[in-house]
C-alpha cells in the first residue's frame, strides 16, 4: 500500500510516499480501507519536530490523524463491528491506503454525507465539541470564536449556536461567507480591524482556536468580562483576575464522536469541505499551511 511518511523531522520535503506491506489487525483491532484522511495544521508542527516532547513518536511515522473508511478485516475479539462497516475515527497513521485502529476508537460514519468527507469530522469536531463543553455555554451568552474560519472553528460556531449563544466570529475575507452560513451572528475581518476595536463590549466567553503570541493572548483574554471564561485549544492563556482560563487538548472520545455523527445525520451540523486532494499533494498542503494559506477542512484521498 501507499503511505505518506516522515523518516526524520524537518520541512515539508521530509514527507515521502512509501510503498509498504498492508498491515494486519491485532486482537481488538480492525483493518480499514481508507476512503480519506483530512489535513490538520498541527500535523505540520508534528512533522517539523515542534511536538516531539508533547507527543513522542517513533520514526518513520505515517501521517494522518483522521480516518474515514470501510472495515475490511477484524482482529480477534471484536464483537462491535463487522467487515463492510463504514467508520470514522481519530486514530493516527491514516494517510495511507489502509490503516489499523483499535475497534473501540472508531464509530459508524454519517450516512448523509460522502464517506470521504466524513474524515473532516474527528479531530476538528471533537476539539470543537470539547471546547464548547468546557466553556459551559448557556443560552443568550455572547461568545467570541477566535479563528472561526479554520477547521475547528466551523464546528465551534455551529455548536455554540446550538447552545443558544450569540456568536461573534473572527475570519478572513475568504472565510466570511462560510462562517455566516454556519450561523455566526457577527463576523469580524481580523485582517482589516484590530479585534479589540471590533468587539462591541466584553463577551461572556472567548473560544480561542488559533496560535497566539503572548501579547495577542493577553489582548484576547482581556475581551472576556469579569466572571467570564476563556477556553483555548492552542496556547495556554493566562486570563486576567476574575476570568477563568482553560486549555483543551482534544480527547479521542468515541461517545462524543458518535454524538457529532448524529448531529450531522440530522442536518444539525454541516461538514464544510474547502478542498479535496490526494496523498501526493500532502507536502504542498503542509507548505501552504505554514504560509497561512489554508481555509476550513481539506480532504485527502489515498
Amino acid at each position: 500500500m501507499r503511505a505518506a511518511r516522515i523518516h526524520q523531522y524537518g520541512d515539508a520535503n521530509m514527507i515521502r510516499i512509501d510503498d509498504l506491506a498492508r498491515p494486519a489487525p491485532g486482537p481488538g483491532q480492525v483493518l480499514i480501507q481508507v476512503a480519506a484522511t483530512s489535513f490538520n495544521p498541527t500535523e505540520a508542527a508534528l512533522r517539523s519536530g515542534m511536538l516531539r516532547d508533547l507527543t513522542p513518536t517513533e520514526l518513520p511515522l505515517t501521517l494522518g490523524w483522521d480516518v474515514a473508511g470501510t472495515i475490511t478485516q477484524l482482529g480477534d475479539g471484536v464483537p462491535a463491528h463487522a467487515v463492510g462497516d463504514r467508520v470514522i475515527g481519530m486514530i493516527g497513521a491514516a494517510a495511507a491506503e489502509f490503516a489499523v485502529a483499535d475497534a473501540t476508537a472508531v464509530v459508524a460514519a454519517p450516512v448523509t454525507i460522502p464517506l470521504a468527507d466524513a474524515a473532516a469530522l474527528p479531530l476538528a469536531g471533537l476539539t470543537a465539541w470539547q471546547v464548547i463543553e468546557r466553556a459551559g455555554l448557556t443560552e443568550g451568552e455572547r461568545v467570541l470564536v477566535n479563528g472561526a474560519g479554520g477547521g475547528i472553528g466551523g464546528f465551534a460556531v455551529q455548536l455554540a449556536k446550538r447552545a443558544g449563544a450569540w456568536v461573534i466570529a473572527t475570519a478572513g475575507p475568504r472565510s466570511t461567507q462560510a462562517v455566516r452560513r454556519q450561523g455566526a451572528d457577527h463576523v469580524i475581518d481580523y485582517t482589516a480591524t484590530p479585534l479589540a476595536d471590533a468587539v462591541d463590549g466584553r463577551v461572556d466567553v472567548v473560544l480561542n482556536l488559533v496560535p497566539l503570541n503572548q501579547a495577542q493572548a493577553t489582548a484576547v483574554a482581556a475581551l472576556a468580562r469579569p466572571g467570564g471564561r476563556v477556553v483555548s485549544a492552542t496556547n495556554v492563556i493566562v486570563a486576567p483576575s476574575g476570568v477563568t482560563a482553560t486549555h483543551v487538548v482534544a480527547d479521542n472520545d468515541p461517545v462524543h464522536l458518535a454524538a457529532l455523527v448524529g448531529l450531522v445525520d440530522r442536518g444539525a451540523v454541516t461538514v464544510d469541505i474547502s478542498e479535496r486532494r490526494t496523498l501526493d499533494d500532502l507536502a504542498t498542503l503542509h507548505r501552504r499551511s505554514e504560509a497561512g494559506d489554508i481555509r476550513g477542512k481539506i480532504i485527502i484521498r489515498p
Side-chain angles (χ1 to χ4, degrees):
M1 69 172 189
R2 301 171 79 237
R5 300 202 299 173
I6 57 170
H7 293 253
Q8 64 187 73
Y9 295 117
D11 62 23
N13 293 326
M14 297 300 105
I15 299 173
R16 291 175 20 183
I17 307 301
D18 291 340
D19 289 320
L20 305 176
R22 184 181 302 182
Q29 295 182 322
V30 295
L31 178 65
I32 300 169
Q33 184 172 6
V34 177
T37 186
S38 80
F39 177 74
N40 293 286
T42 46
E43 292 183 45
L46 177 69
R47 182 220 72 230
S48 71
M50 289 175 58
L51 302 183
R52 69 180 75 187
D53 294 329
L54 181 63
T55 57
T57 56
E58 292 186 6
L59 299 177
L61 171 72
T62 300
L63 299 170
W65 281 321
D66 295 320
V67 72
T70 304
I71 293 176
T72 60
Q73 187 179 347
L74 304 176
D76 293 336
V78 180
H81 297 287
V83 171
D85 284 356
R86 292 153 58 97
V87 295
I88 64 171
M90 191 171 80
I91 65 168
E97 292 179 310
F98 289 86
V100 167
D102 289 339
T104 56
V106 296
V107 304
V111 298
T112 56
I113 62 174
L115 179 58
D117 288 4
L121 195 58
L123 189 149
L126 283 171
T127 303
W129 180 285
Q130 291 160 17
V131 163
I132 297 293
E133 184 178 64
R134 195 69 60 88
L137 299 185
T138 58
E139 189 167 356
E141 287 192 306
R142 282 165 46 90
V143 176
L144 172 65
V145 179
N146 190 36
I152 299 170
F155 292 119
V157 168
Q158 295 180 75
L159 294 173
K161 288 301 296 180
R162 280 188 54 79
W166 198 86
V167 176
I168 306 165
T170 69
R174 63 183 176 177
S175 302
T176 297
Q177 292 305 315
V179 171
R180 286 194 175 124
R181 286 196 304 270
Q182 289 157 347
D185 297 287
H186 178 56
V187 181
I188 297 169
D189 179 358
Y190 69 88
T191 68
T193 308
L195 192 53
D197 296 340
V199 175
D200 180 19
R202 293 188 177 181
V203 299
D204 299 295
V205 180
V206 174
L207 306 179
N208 179 61
L209 309 176
V210 296
L212 303 173
N213 60 37
Q214 186 172 350
Q216 291 169 331
T218 299
V220 164
L223 296 173
R225 64 165 176 80
R229 291 96 72 200
V230 176
V231 183
S232 178
T234 55
N235 306 62
V236 175
I237 294 179
V238 178
S241 177
V243 174
T244 301
T246 307
H247 182 236
V248 171
V249 176
D251 178 38
N252 186 13
D253 188 322
V255 174
H256 291 169
L257 186 55
L260 280 166
V261 168
L263 292 176
V264 171
D265 279 340
R266 293 198 298 276
V269 167
T270 60
V271 179
D272 176 29
I273 306 302
S274 59
E275 299 179 45
R276 293 174 175 83
R277 301 294 180 184
T278 69
L279 287 184
D280 296 309
D281 300 317
L282 194 53
T284 298
L285 290 176
H286 276 237
R287 295 185 191 101
R288 286 177 53 197
S289 177
E290 290 169 324
D293 185 33
I294 294 289
R295 185 196 77 75
K297 289 299 297 180
I298 298 177
I299 293 303
I300 302 167
R301 291 182 175 273

